[in-house]
Amino acid sequence: MYKIIKKEVLNPQITLMEVEAPYVAKKVQAGQFIILRVDELGERIPLTVADYNREKGTVTIIFQAIGKSTKMLAQLNEGDSIHDFVGPLGVATHLDGVKKAAVIGGGLGTAIAYPSAKALHEKGAEVDIIAGFRNKDLIILEKELAQSSSRVFITTDDGSNGRKGFVTDMLKQLIEEGNQYDLVIAIGPLIMMKFVCQLTKQYGIKTIVSMNPVMIDGTGMCGGCRVTVGGETKFACVDGPDFDGHLVDFDEAMRRQQMYKDEERKACEDCRLRRHE
Amino acid sequence: MANMAPKKVKMPEQEPTVRNKNFKEVALGYTADMAKEEAERCLHCKHMPCVKGCPVNVQIPDFIGLIKEGDFKGAYEKISETSALPAICGRVCPQESQCEKYCVRGIKGEPVAIGRLERFAADWAMEHIKEGVKKPESNGKKVAVVGAGPASLTCAGDLAKLGYEVTVFEAFHKAGGVLVYGIPEFRLPKKEIVQKEIDKLKELGVKIELNVVVGKSINIDELLGEEGYSAVFIGSGAGLPKFMHLPGENLNGVYSANEFLTRINLMNAYRWPDADTPVKIGKNVAIVGGGNVAMDAARCAKRLGAENVYIVYRRSEEEMPARLEEIHHAKEEEIIFKMLTNPVEIVGSEDGWVTGLKCVEMELGEPDESGRRRPVEKKGSDFVLDMDTVVIAIGQSPNPLIKNTTEGLATQPWGGIIVDEETGATNIEGVYAGGDAVTGAATVILAMGAGKTAAKAIDEYIKSKK
């Protein structure tokens, strides 16, 4: 069992938890993820590590309550425990030799992009963060992003705070203003990552995306998370989750992500969330 | 005078049309009377050919003799001298190619039902022997075991009996390896059998640390270094699924057998929505392959409500590597066997779901290097079977994680760890390996045999260092 040390509600949908997980905390690097199971009947769900404290042996996860498992997780409080918590899994993001980067987060993806931005910033790279949200109530991690970058650009779809428009509009503007990025990291919904890649391809800027397919074990033993990259089948849990965005078959990934949508909807409609005393 | 009946005493089973709708165990096991009657069939041959066929050399005529006398406790203790997991082996060993293959009674008629008798003794013991196992005194030395499948559990149990402080590191949230994620409940009950065998190891003092991926959470150098283990046994299995690289393999509705069985067995998807993990089963399901894994997947699909479940295999039934009993059970449960049929493409709808499996007919040509006749494609014979779900069950290879994170560990080109066959020693001092991680996908009992061999060698190695 893995104890929840801290819980913070970041916005109506997104929750942060700091969890006691010494094995993960000791080894994890930016870009890696964990798999957790809320309780004995729970499913295994992957979540990217948002932060860690090696001395305290804790790991921070940030998640959006969108389905049964994440809603059940959000019900847990400080002092409660998560049944299973395994990692670090996947390959760390390659950040060596980067001088100027744009790190783009969409919604919850901002929390996942944050550790890479922080790591680049600490290595002395110039980092512009573009974080996109649907409206001002959903903005998260504003302070942390500011501390881990040269500049932060917040966009909202409806213009309720920051700039109106999508992250791609902002990125395009920055590129056309003459910012020469040697790397773009884009993390968020598949559709957002796809559009960022379409844009950066026109400018020939190397772009890393973090894929988020359905996963079970997360150790390479089932292939449930397979994605097509440059015409080859890769397992996102062991070969990724980071891939060269210009080589990823996003249409296939979006289709595969929908595989269980009927079951997910039903599980949530029933909404018989198991309570934990 | 022995019982000279030519056939084994029949074991009660659930009716095929009943059991293909539930996940309860198919074979119900012998009663005490049935066991004694079957035990009477053993001739107690002096040269005991059966024992040589058992990879862990269970003293077969001795334990059968005790069953005959009604000393079931004694029989169980006799088996336990050499076998760590008898309730499991009695159920899943391919006895027809091991102990029972050499049984003298098999020359004229059926061999003695050694597996069923072993199972009987182990099940009887679980039900009747209540006193716990006595924890041996510690000798102060620590051994780490990687993975919690049959090779590792056997190795851990043997070392614990010798007084070692053993810690097993398992990547999953449950111990058992293929016994919990691969072999379905209807062949091997998880709670009643697997968990109880594992609990006995814990009573011996074996520690099991779940949710630790060796190679990620911790690596082998650290175990031997700062963590203070005197030796490491790698029993990480062969869990890397093979795909066929066919067009359409990434369509929705296509699974590796590992994913399909893990969802069903480990994650209890057959109990969805009470358990949270779903699995997609269409009306028509194709399982590609001819081993035990393919049979398990097919029988699971049927139980989950598929109308037509096909085994699609490129050779003929004679060449199928699956156990005879499993093929027989699958047929009884109305699984359709499409032999000499090779898939060439998975066909899908515009929105990306499987709709069919395009196959070609095969015929058998000359024997290949494995001695089996090579299947050759019949030109122009292609046809499409309507399908909603396709499961690829053509084999697994060792996961490269340990190899990639253990500097200098010697492995075969296909990924198997290279060991000294006598001891299970790898090329790194203090590091031993066994089971599917060494041989590629094989059997539970061979993995257990390898775990035993390594335990003995590890004991000798650690003593020699004093």
Side-chain angles (χ1 to χ4, degrees), chain A residues 240-255:
Chain A
D242 288 356
F243 292 105
D244 179 342
H246 296 148
L247 299 176
V248 168
D249 184 340
F250 282 103
D251 295 337
E252 179 188 276
M254 285 188 260
R255 172 166 62 62

Side-chain angles (χ1 to χ4, degrees), chain B residues 111-122:
Chain B
V112 174
I114 300 165
R116 293 176 185 180
L117 290 171
E118 179 183 31
R119 170 190 162 144
F120 168 79

Side-chain angles (χ1 to χ4, degrees), chain B residues 355-372:
Chain B
T355 58
L357 187 65
K358 189 175 181 184
C359 304
V360 290
E361 288 175 31
M362 309 293 279
E363 54 196 352
L364 291 179
E366 294 301 306
D368 63 13
E369 60 278 5
S370 78
R372 299 186 297 183

Side-chain angles (χ1 to χ4, degrees), chain B residues 82-211:
Chain B
T82 46
S83 170
L85 310 164
I88 293 166
C89 291
R91 284 173 167 82
V92 304
C93 272
Q95 287 101 7
E96 70 266 22
S97 54
Q98 295 176 340
C99 54
E100 293 181 19
K101 182 179 175 181
Y102 300 98
C103 175
V104 169
R105 293 296 303 268
I107 300 167
K108 286 182 188 170
E110 289 184 353
V112 174
I114 300 165
R116 293 176 185 180
L117 290 171
E118 179 183 31
R119 170 190 162 144
F120 168 79
D123 287 3
W124 185 93
M126 262 185 206
E127 205 180 315
H128 293 92
I129 302 179
K130 295 297 173 206
E131 71 264 36
V133 192
K134 201 168 156 261
K135 190 178 161 182
E137 200 175 315
S138 166
N139 66 12
K141 296 277 177 190
K142 300 202 307 179
V143 179
V145 172
V146 180
S152 295
L153 293 178
T154 305
C155 186
D158 280 15
L159 287 167
K161 282 181 197 163
L162 293 168
Y164 290 95
E165 289 178 18
V166 183
T167 304
V168 177
F169 296 95
E170 165 58 41
F172 265 136
H173 57 262
K174 213 174 254 177
V178 78
L179 306 173
V180 294
Y181 77 74
I183 304 176
E185 190 74 17
F186 55 82
R187 281 218 285 141
L188 184 63
K190 309 281 166 271
K191 267 214 185 89
E192 298 81 14
I193 306 298
V194 181
Q195 195 52 51
K196 283 187 183 163
E197 296 277 37
I198 290 167
D199 289 345
K200 275 194 270 172
L201 290 178
K202 288 190 192 159
E203 283 174 33
L204 277 174
V206 173
K207 262 196 280 175
I208 300 184
E209 285 226 41
L210 302 172
N211 296 321

Side-chain angles (χ1 to χ4, degrees), chain B residues 171-440:
Chain B
F172 265 136
H173 57 262
K174 213 174 254 177
V178 78
L179 306 173
V180 294
Y181 77 74
I183 304 176
E185 190 74 17
F186 55 82
R187 281 218 285 141
L188 184 63
K190 309 281 166 271
K191 267 214 185 89
E192 298 81 14
I193 306 298
V194 181
Q195 195 52 51
K196 283 187 183 163
E197 296 277 37
I198 290 167
D199 289 345
K200 275 194 270 172
L201 290 178
K202 288 190 192 159
E203 283 174 33
L204 277 174
V206 173
K207 262 196 280 175
I208 300 184
E209 285 226 41
L210 302 172
N211 296 321
V212 180
V213 185
V214 174
K216 287 285 182 186
S217 313
I218 193 163
N219 59 39
I220 289 181
D221 292 342
E222 290 167 326
L223 290 171
L224 288 173
E226 63 209 66
E227 299 293 327
Y229 290 92
S230 303
V232 177
F233 175 76
I234 304 170
S236 50
L240 185 73
K242 288 183 187 159
F243 282 95
M244 299 181 77
H245 308 294
L246 299 178
E249 215 162 30
N250 290 347
L251 287 164
N252 290 6
V254 182
Y255 288 101
S256 72
N258 267 4
E259 179 182 357
F260 190 68
L261 291 172
T262 299
R263 283 176 178 271
I264 295 167
N265 301 324
L266 180 73
M267 305 310 298
N268 299 313
Y270 67 95
R271 287 164 58 199
W272 186 86
D274 291 332
D276 294 340
T277 306
V279 65
K280 277 274 184 196
I281 293 285
K283 197 172 121 192
N284 298 305
V285 178
I287 316 291
V288 180
N292 287 320
V293 172
M295 298 303 135
D296 286 342
R299 297 171 71 197
C300 282
K302 190 76 188 180
R303 281 162 172 77
L304 287 164
E307 280 176 33
N308 304 303
V309 181
Y310 301 85
I311 292 276
V312 178
Y313 183 55
R314 66 196 180 114
R315 302 185 199 239
S316 72
E317 196 178 319
E318 222 169 282
E319 287 86 22
M320 277 193 148
R323 285 186 65 191
L324 285 177
E325 189 186 345
E326 304 312 324
I327 294 173
H328 174 70
H329 276 150
K331 283 186 173 171
E332 283 185 338
E333 291 167 14
E334 297 166 352
I335 307 298
I336 305 158
F337 280 57
K338 282 291 232 185
M339 299 294 97
L340 291 165
T341 304
N342 198 29
V344 290
E345 184 183 341
I346 301 169
V347 188
S349 62
E350 252 173 46
D351 57 353
W353 283 85
V354 173
T355 58
L357 187 65
K358 189 175 181 184
C359 304
V360 290
E361 288 175 31
M362 309 293 279
E363 54 196 352
L364 291 179
E366 294 301 306
D368 63 13
E369 60 278 5
S370 78
R372 299 186 297 183
R373 291 176 65 193
R374 187 193 299 274
V376 186
E377 185 178 324
K378 276 195 215 168
K379 281 255 164 348
S381 65
D382 55 303
F383 62 99
V384 176
L385 289 165
D386 284 347
M387 268 332 138
D388 312 293
T389 307
V390 174
V391 180
I392 309 292
I394 58 162
Q396 294 98 235
S397 47
N399 192 313
L401 185 59
I402 299 280
K403 177 187 81 180
N404 292 345
T405 56
T406 310
E407 210 181 316
L409 183 69
T411 55
Q412 310 275 6
W414 50 267
I417 298 170
I418 296 171
V419 298
D420 175 336
E421 275 184 38
E422 301 291 310
T423 61
T426 69
N427 64 319
I428 300 177
E429 192 189 324
V431 179
Y432 294 73
D436 288 3
V438 168
T439 58

